[in-house]
Amino acid sequence: MALLALHAVSKSYGALKVTDGVSLSVSEGETLGILGPNGAGKTTLFNLISGDVRPDAGRIEFQGRDMTALAPHQRCRLGIGRSYQVPQPFGAMTVFENCVTAASFGAGLPEHEAYEVAVDVLARTGLKAQANQLAGGLTLLNRKRLELARALCTRPKLLLLDEIAGGLTEHEARQLVDALKVLMAGGVTMV
């Protein structure tokens, strides 16, 4: 059984058909890359999987369960985490507070567990030294790291990474990939 399965999923905006009968499956522990030019529908596909957008047709399953009608927060609690192309941290909160919020509300963890998860994830993503810094003052690389950290704090089984290295220099992208290698070794399924 696939961890994630899309069955003939379609989405249009007026006359523009963004996804047209997309079917795919991702097995547990797999890493799948989706390639295409700007405007090809990659972000819309992620929005469909995460529940930010509803499909016009088709079905989306997670662990064999039809989740097509579930809200984004319900999908997150099932184990679907995601990053966004443009990082969207709570700028007036610290890096640590952003992660605790993700663990508390995304994963539904009690406060003491949320703190533990946040500390662990900040260490794994290279943000431990910035834990008390306001998220709004981070560099682009560290905002991308925080985007990854917040997604990880939701304790995902499936992690959707939407252009996680977009806008970074080659050196910065390599640093981010090093953080992702830890996830790959840990068996997190990624798209």
Side-chain angles (χ1 to χ4, degrees):
M1 173 177 63
L3 181 67
L4 173 71
L6 277 67
H7 304 279
V9 174
S10 296
K11 180 64 184 173
S12 296
Y13 295 101
L16 178 63
K17 194 152 215 150
V18 181
T19 60
D20 189 9
V22 175
S23 295
L24 63 85
S25 66
V26 183
S27 299
E28 192 170 334
E30 186 176 6
T31 299
L32 174 69
I34 298 177
L35 302 174
N38 289 340
K42 301 177 300 291
T43 295
T44 298
L45 185 64
F46 277 23
N47 289 339
L48 288 162
I49 296 168
S50 67
D52 293 334
V53 171
R54 300 255 182 196
D56 298 327
R59 189 173 77 253
I60 303 170
E61 296 176 355
F62 185 70
Q63 294 181 312
R65 174 184 174 183
D66 186 346
M67 63 169 197
T68 310
L70 294 181
H73 72 277
Q74 293 170 308
R75 295 177 194 215
C76 185
R77 289 276 173 103
L78 285 177
I80 298 175
R82 79 165 287 182
S83 70
Y84 290 85
Q85 275 186 47
V86 178
Q88 302 173 14
F90 298 109
M93 294 170 62
T94 67
V95 169
F96 180 74
E97 290 166 337
N98 269 267
C99 288
V100 168
T101 300
S104 296
F105 293 97
L109 299 177
E111 187 176 348
H112 70 280
E113 281 185 56
Y115 280 32
E116 290 173 11
V117 167
V119 168
D120 175 59
V121 168
L122 288 173
R124 289 191 291 143
T125 55
L127 284 172
K128 195 172 182 180
Q130 288 80 24
N132 293 317
Q133 184 176 345
L134 290 179
L138 294 173
T139 64
L140 178 59
L141 172 60
N142 284 337
R143 286 196 316 268
K144 293 279 190 171
R145 283 182 173 159
L146 179 56
E147 192 73 8
L148 174 61
R150 290 185 330 156
L152 290 174
C153 283
T154 67
R155 290 191 157 168
K157 297 172 186 146
L158 173 67
L159 183 58
L160 305 171
L161 299 170
D162 193 357
E163 294 195 30
I164 193 70
L168 299 179
T169 66
E170 184 176 340
H171 176 70
E172 290 170 332
R174 287 181 198 274
Q175 288 179 316
L176 196 58
V177 167
D178 289 341
L180 290 171
K181 286 179 184 176
V182 172
L183 296 176
M184 293 166 72
V188 174
T189 304
M190 290 186 279
V191 179

